[in-house]
Amino acid sequence: MLTATRDQVIDDVVAALSQVRGVCAVALGGSRSLGTASPQSDYDMAVFQEKAGDIDVPALEAALERLSGSRPKMTAKLALAEFELGGRKVELFFRRLNLIAEEIEAARNGQFRRWPHALHAAGYLSTVLISYVTYGRIVWDPQGHLVRLIERAHPYPVELQKRMIQTFKVESALSVMHAAKVRSPDELPYVAGLYSRAVAAWTLMLFAANRRYPIIDKGATKIIMTLPHRPENYAARTVKLIRDLGAGNLQQVRVDAARIHKEITGDTLEI
């Protein structure tokens, strides 16, 4: 039975996907699940299979083509599918429940993995896999797969909290201290990278301090501003940091970055 969503785009996508062998759950993600969307926002939806290779790809392509009236764009390894429906862009992200379950168990032991990624200053974190279910809005989960994963993921593990704060406290301190050594405006591109990494690390620490799984894409700061443990005016202050950097006001950036770091970590940096 389909979950009532009161959104025709979502209902139509779920109706199509629910008929494809191997698709076992669907969740709405992105800005529409976080409450930051505008009426013109894209639809980001996570499509879950139990393990790799479960989804009948030809049946999926046929279902999406019937739904949208055109052949969808799909990656070769079934990571992403894109199409338009009702004048809105729809992106489907395919995720494996077995990997999410493994990541939840690792998180309960205070473990996470990370690797470089072109879109993320602090790298891509494996715990983001858990965020696909904890922040998503379930729109179809007939066997309760997502419900069980969400229950297993909570409460947020204390050991993961310690590891995240320890890791990104060191990284943010190094970024801020090394950026503070630069005095020449000619080095702005280098300094910008360091401060971007510091902001990313602060944000990850704040998610951990509030015992929330992290979001590393856009929208993360808006969530931080709803949480109890954060510096006052954190969003405005980090925006100001980048604007002052672009204006070449390195001294002000050094001072402000050190203050933000101290408010988050309690550590005073020598700048």
Side-chain angles (χ1 to χ4, degrees):
M1 182 176 180
L2 301 184
T3 303
T5 60
R6 300 178 185 174
D7 185 303
Q8 194 62 52
V9 170
I10 297 173
D11 287 343
D12 289 347
V13 171
V14 170
L17 293 175
S18 63
Q19 302 304 310
V20 177
R21 179 178 57 80
V23 174
C24 57
V26 182
L28 180 67
S31 60
R32 290 185 179 272
S33 69
L34 297 176
T36 60
S38 70
Q40 291 74 39
S41 294
D42 296 344
Y43 285 80
D44 298 317
M45 302 180 73
V47 182
F48 298 92
Q49 58 183 320
E50 289 199 47
K51 61 183 184 302
D54 280 357
I55 291 179
D56 184 337
V57 177
L60 173 67
E61 291 178 325
L64 296 181
E65 187 168 352
R66 288 193 299 271
L67 175 65
S68 64
S70 61
R71 190 173 182 82
K73 297 179 181 178
M74 297 182 63
T75 57
K77 294 185 178 181
L78 195 63
L80 173 68
E82 299 175 280
F83 56 93
E84 286 194 5
L85 187 62
R88 295 284 182 268
K89 182 179 179 182
V90 179
E91 293 187 343
L92 304 182
F93 299 88
F94 296 87
R95 297 292 179 260
R96 292 155 54 183
L97 294 173
N98 65 323
L99 295 184
I100 298 172
E102 291 172 8
E103 199 58 45
I104 290 172
E105 295 311 306
R108 291 167 67 88
N109 292 312
Q111 300 172 0
F112 68 89
R113 293 167 293 117
R114 181 168 47 137
W115 48 92
H117 196 287
L119 301 182
H120 307 294
Y124 188 91
L125 272 66
S126 58
T127 46
V128 169
L129 285 175
I130 307 174
S131 299
Y132 279 107
V133 295
T134 58
Y135 288 100
R137 178 159 66 88
I138 298 173
V139 293
W140 187 67
D141 186 25
Q143 296 179 313
H145 291 291
L146 300 185
V147 171
R148 288 191 292 274
L149 284 176
I150 291 170
E151 290 175 349
R152 186 62 177 164
H154 290 96
Y156 179 99
V158 173
E159 291 303 314
L160 180 64
Q161 180 186 45
K162 293 177 181 177
R163 174 88 185 281
M164 291 283 286
I165 290 175
Q166 179 185 43
T167 299
F168 293 106
K169 180 179 180 180
V170 172
E171 291 196 7
S172 59
L174 288 173
S175 295
V176 173
M177 287 190 296
H178 280 276
K181 296 177 182 178
V182 178
R183 296 292 190 269
S184 172
D186 294 336
E187 298 294 339
L188 276 178
Y190 169 70
V191 177
L194 290 174
Y195 282 123
S196 293
R197 192 178 183 92
V199 172
W202 292 336
T203 299
L204 289 168
M205 278 192 289
L206 290 171
F207 272 112
N210 287 278
R211 299 189 69 182
R212 296 284 295 271
Y213 292 101
I215 287 179
I216 57 176
D217 293 301
K218 61 184 180 180
T221 303
K222 288 185 178 181
I223 294 176
I224 292 295
M225 293 304 296
T226 69
L227 303 179
H229 305 299
R230 56 174 171 79
E232 187 175 359
N233 299 322
Y234 177 69
R237 291 166 69 187
T238 53
V239 169
K240 180 179 181 296
L241 201 74
I242 302 303
R243 285 178 175 167
D244 285 345
L245 182 62
N249 193 352
L250 295 180
Q251 175 58 30
Q252 188 62 52
V253 173
R254 285 193 291 271
V255 172
D256 290 343
R259 286 174 178 165
I260 295 172
H261 184 83
K262 183 177 181 180
E263 290 178 31
I264 294 173
T265 67
D267 288 352
T268 300
L269 300 177
E270 294 184 8
I271 62 171

